[in-house]
Amino acid sequence: MLCRSSPDKKGMSPAFSAVMGEYFSWRVIVQRGAVLTVATFLLIASGGTSLGILPLVIIVLLAGLSSLITSSSWFKEEHTSTLLLLPYSERTVAWSICAAGILLVVLGNVFPLALLLGVAGAMTPLEALAGAALGVIITTISFVAETVSRRHAGLVACLLTAVACLCALIFSSDSLRFCALLILLIIAVGVGGKIPHARRRHTRHPLAFPKRLPSNYFAIAALSERHVYLSALGLLCLGTILTATLASRGFPYPLNAVCAVSIPPLSTMLSRDRDTYRQMELLGNRYLTFVQYFVVLFVASLILTSISTIVLVAIGAAGAGFFAIGILICIIGSMVSVLLEMRFPLLVWKTEQEVYTHPRKYLVTLVAALLAGLYLVIA
Amino acid sequence: MEMSPKQEKILSFDNVRAWYSSDHTVIKCGGMIVQRNSVLGLVGKNGAGKTTLVNSLCGIHRDASFENLLYEGSECTPQDLQLKNNRYACFAKDESFRYWSLGRLVALLEASFSLKRDEEYLECLIDGFALNGLDTVRLSELSSGQRKKAALVSAFYTRRKLLLLDEPVDFLDFSSTEFLYETIRSYSASYGSIIMCSHIAESFTRCCSQIYVLEEGTITGPYDVPERAEDVVQILSR
């Protein structure tokens, strides 16, 4: 056993690392997703459009209830018995993170369901968008909470989620206030993720060495680099403004999605981290690299595209079709980026700036732009 | 003095070539025979191509060719799965997975090599390299020496049949260096063979059973390891 005291050091909280991964398991997502899907269809069948925003409220409540039930049974499961090795205070934190984490994941399922409701006509488009926005925000927060190795950041993110749910539900009927709320929430999440945590005692024990596949390295790397935030924010604003401008001139071109998949710091993570690339080549687990990298690129671009599209729809500059083409562009663009990084990494450079400015990045932009052009032709 | 190779060899190759461009060939010829449970030293001046050879054997440097590359008697390439699954390397300069901790790196290696958790061995390595309490700290927050130790811990923990160590002594303090020598010897006895590049003559006299020399693009050897560290340099001038 690896049990002994050690000096104070920064790093992942044992409680956090203990519950991480478990509540994001496919089992939880599929089970809760199935329950919510059935509940949603039952609500549509029973009330339809006359229920208004009520289905969304019920789904959120159901999600909260299921998270409480799952997290309560957490300690009864044999495979989590190592949690009992934690001190009492750590156990409480672990339970809190577990409960909040399940809530986040389950609520993340609201995203496709809300769209479904919007398409099915059970909710007004704005209400469906409110649901979609909730999904995006919650997925973002889940993403941050999962990968940022700061216990308090995770808890703050959970609190913000609860506030986000409440506020989005209250204000979803007013587009202006809704947009303002979205921006405030994004800022709050950004600040919440950076809240400094108190020094804490670290204990070396088996949980310091997770016995399962560790979390996504690319996600941790992406969230640790300031360049990623700056570049993403810049391209988000640029894409949204340009798309809105083009749309106002009768040219509905989804440039926002093109910008979202063209974030240089994200699409050059292997090239800029040559030692990690070498190590991954040495290990030879290319499938794992591909999947992990693709997930990060896809989630990041999807979040940016969704935020941008929500704003565009709210101001009347885009239609629901932007969501569909946005998802397609995110999938294809992320795939092309990962393939380029794995097959043709830029390993000969002296400064990172050379990687950022390498013309290879325009290949992804070109593919995304062609897909966006396809939408323009169809539309 | 050249030695005749033993029958039981884990890896061997002839006429290795490695280049960076058509007019920049680093390694022109030569071969090696790695016997099971042995520690081979690779000596050479700066820029001789030692790291390039290690990278070529790891399949990372693709501009390389080997004749009769045999792993456990079967012909293979550096990218072959069988060799890949039984080989690991600790590089001279390594800042990989800097946003992870040693604990997470170990978990990745366990997943990649389907390793069974050996907590006693892991504990022993961490204690020996004085990394207690640093297993949850991000690698980017460690000092150069600690980072090197973490890389060595993960390398030895893989328990592969072939381990390549490029300048393993760099950045290490005295006690860790002693532990490294001890670990290299015990590793070769228990788990597998080691190829080690170093600029510290004592590394060869303390650990290696044979030495190869890489000079002017040619690999020669194997040679007996001299008893005194001062005599290692004479092998280079032969």
Side-chain angles (χ1 to χ4, degrees):
Chain A
M1 298 292 286
L2 303 175
C3 299
R4 70 179 54 175
S5 297
S6 61
D8 280 358
K9 290 289 170 189
K10 282 186 195 173
M12 184 167 285
S13 149
F16 196 82
S17 63
V19 296
M20 237 177 61
E22 284 299 327
Y23 58 71
F24 281 91
S25 67
W26 285 110
R27 185 179 60 83
V28 172
I29 293 171
V30 170
Q31 279 182 5
R32 302 305 167 200
V35 170
L36 287 178
T37 307
V38 172
T40 308
F41 278 106
L42 283 176
L43 285 166
I44 293 170
S46 62
T49 50
S50 61
L51 291 175
I53 205 164
L54 191 62
L56 190 60
V57 176
I58 292 173
I59 289 168
V60 171
L61 289 175
L62 273 175
L65 188 66
S66 73
S67 73
L68 277 177
I69 292 167
T70 310
S71 60
S72 299
S73 63
W74 192 255
F75 291 109
K76 295 175 189 168
E77 295 184 30
E78 194 181 348
H79 72 276
T80 57
S81 60
T82 46
L83 281 173
L84 300 174
L85 294 172
L86 294 171
Y88 182 75
S89 57
E90 296 263 342
R91 253 187 274 174
T92 314
V93 172
W95 184 85
S96 310
I97 296 171
C98 175
I102 292 166
L103 177 68
L104 296 178
V105 169
V106 173
L107 282 179
N109 292 328
V110 173
F111 176 69
L113 289 173
L115 282 179
L116 186 72
L117 283 166
V119 173
M123 299 169 85
T124 64
L126 201 59
E127 286 163 353
L129 278 176
L134 263 180
V136 170
I137 294 164
I138 289 158
T139 312
T140 311
I141 297 168
S142 313
F143 195 58
V144 173
E146 182 200 359
T147 49
V148 172
S149 54
R150 292 173 181 183
R151 180 199 312 170
H152 297 309
L155 291 175
V156 169
C158 299
L159 285 173
L160 284 172
T161 308
V163 176
C165 293
L166 194 66
C167 295
L169 285 173
I170 293 168
F171 295 110
S172 62
S173 59
D174 187 323
S175 61
L176 278 178
R177 277 196 288 181
F178 178 68
C179 288
L181 180 74
L182 261 184
I183 294 165
L184 279 174
L185 280 173
I186 292 162
I187 294 168
V189 170
V191 173
K194 294 289 176 192
I195 286 176
H197 57 96
R199 287 177 70 82
R200 56 184 182 273
R201 184 177 63 80
H202 269 272
T203 309
R204 187 170 138 205
H205 52 65
L207 296 175
F209 288 91
K211 286 193 177 181
R212 50 187 294 123
L213 197 64
S215 60
N216 193 323
Y217 175 76
F218 294 101
I220 298 174
L223 289 165
S224 304
E225 292 180 6
R226 192 177 296 168
H227 290 87
V228 174
Y229 294 99
L230 291 174
S231 188
L233 189 65
L235 282 166
L236 173 70
C237 296
L238 183 73
T240 310
I241 293 167
L242 284 178
T243 310
T245 311
L246 287 172
S248 67
R249 294 176 184 176
F251 193 66
Y253 188 73
L255 199 60
N256 58 332
V258 178
C259 290
V261 293
S262 310
I263 304 167
L266 275 180
S267 57
T268 55
M269 288 178 78
L270 278 176
S271 294
R272 290 186 294 112
D273 197 350
R274 288 180 287 203
D275 287 353
T276 301
Y277 176 77
R278 180 180 62 185
Q279 210 70 13
M280 285 177 167
E281 284 290 296
L282 178 66
L283 291 173
N285 204 338
R286 294 177 76 86
Y287 176 74
L288 176 72
T289 313
F290 180 88
V291 171
Q292 288 204 345
Y293 194 13
F294 173 77
V295 166
V296 171
L297 283 180
F298 175 65
V299 170
S301 55
L302 186 64
I303 288 169
L304 291 177
T305 305
S306 302
I307 291 172
S308 173
T309 308
I310 287 164
V311 174
L312 289 167
V313 171
I315 62 173
F322 266 50
F323 275 111
I325 190 67
I327 291 169
L328 184 68
I329 289 174
C330 289
I331 292 172
I332 306 286
S334 305
M335 208 170 276
V336 172
S337 289
V338 175
L339 287 172
L340 280 176
E341 275 291 90
M342 292 183 72
R343 300 295 299 173
F344 309 104
L346 309 169
L347 300 175
V348 184
W349 50 265
K350 286 176 184 165
T351 62
E352 283 195 8
Q353 195 62 27
E354 291 174 37
V355 184
Y356 292 140
T357 54
H358 195 278
R360 195 197 66 177
K361 66 183 177 184
Y362 296 117
L363 198 59
V364 180
T365 312
L366 182 68
V367 171
L370 286 173
L371 283 169
L374 195 67
Y375 169 79
L376 191 65
V377 171
I378 294 168
Chain B
M1 182 176 65
E2 293 196 16
M3 294 177 69
S4 60
K6 290 179 184 174
Q7 290 298 311
E8 200 179 8
K9 54 190 180 185
I10 188 164
L11 185 87
S12 64
F13 59 86
D14 303 319
N15 287 332
V16 58
R17 280 189 75 243
W19 61 95
Y20 286 95
S21 60
S22 55
D23 56 349
H24 186 198
T25 303
V26 182
I27 305 169
K28 294 165 189 165
C29 61
M32 286 177 90
I33 297 170
V34 185
Q35 292 150 11
R36 195 176 293 279
N37 298 109
S38 65
V39 182
L40 288 189
L42 186 60
V43 191
K45 293 174 183 170
N46 288 336
K50 301 185 293 296
T51 301
T52 305
L53 180 61
V54 169
N55 285 341
S56 303
L57 282 170
C58 290
I60 294 163
H61 183 77
R62 299 293 176 99
D63 293 333
S65 65
F66 295 88
E67 273 183 26
N68 303 320
L69 178 61
L70 301 175
Y71 174 72
E72 291 191 323
S74 307
E75 199 153 346
C76 65
T77 67
Q79 286 84 27
D80 276 0
L81 199 61
Q82 195 195 1
L83 179 54
K84 210 169 238 185
N85 286 338
N86 288 290
R87 164 199 73 196
Y88 192 72
C90 177
F91 298 99
K93 182 180 170 293
D94 187 2
E95 292 182 5
S96 61
F97 299 110
R98 60 182 186 272
Y99 297 112
W100 260 350
S101 62
L102 173 60
R104 293 196 165 271
L105 185 56
V106 164
L108 174 72
L109 293 173
E110 285 178 341
S112 297
F113 290 123
S114 304
L115 281 173
K116 277 190 176 177
R117 171 63 52 92
D118 186 344
E119 287 183 353
E120 196 180 339
Y121 185 47
L122 188 60
E123 172 96 346
C124 168
L125 289 171
I126 287 174
D127 281 347
F129 282 112
L131 282 174
N132 298 313
L134 298 175
D135 36 30
T136 55
V137 180
R138 275 189 179 188
L139 296 175
S140 60
E141 293 173 12
L142 300 179
S143 70
S144 303
Q146 289 166 337
R147 181 75 187 83
K148 187 74 181 187
K149 289 175 187 177
L152 287 167
V153 166
S154 51
F156 287 121
Y157 184 68
T158 58
R159 291 159 276 166
R160 298 296 87 192
K161 287 181 183 172
L162 180 63
L163 195 59
L164 297 107
L165 303 177
D166 191 6
E167 304 292 353
V169 187
D170 281 3
F171 302 114
L172 296 188
D173 51 40
F174 293 127
S175 58
S176 298
T177 306
E178 283 302 315
F179 181 73
L180 171 69
Y181 293 152
E182 190 187 313
T183 308
I184 288 174
R185 287 194 295 265
S186 62
Y187 186 96
S188 68
S190 309
Y191 298 115
S193 308
I194 293 176
I195 300 176
M196 179 173 68
C197 309
S198 179
H199 285 108
I200 311 294
E202 191 194 23
S203 308
F204 301 110
T205 58
R206 296 284 300 276
C207 307
C208 295
S209 46
Q210 290 175 323
I211 289 179
Y212 280 85
V213 174
L214 179 51
E215 198 167 25
E216 293 175 357
T218 305
I219 301 172
T220 55
Y223 300 102
D224 281 335
V225 181
E227 286 186 6
R228 298 188 311 158
E230 304 91 278
D231 297 335
V232 173
V233 74
Q234 289 182 4
I235 296 177
L236 269 173
S237 55
R238 283 182 189 184

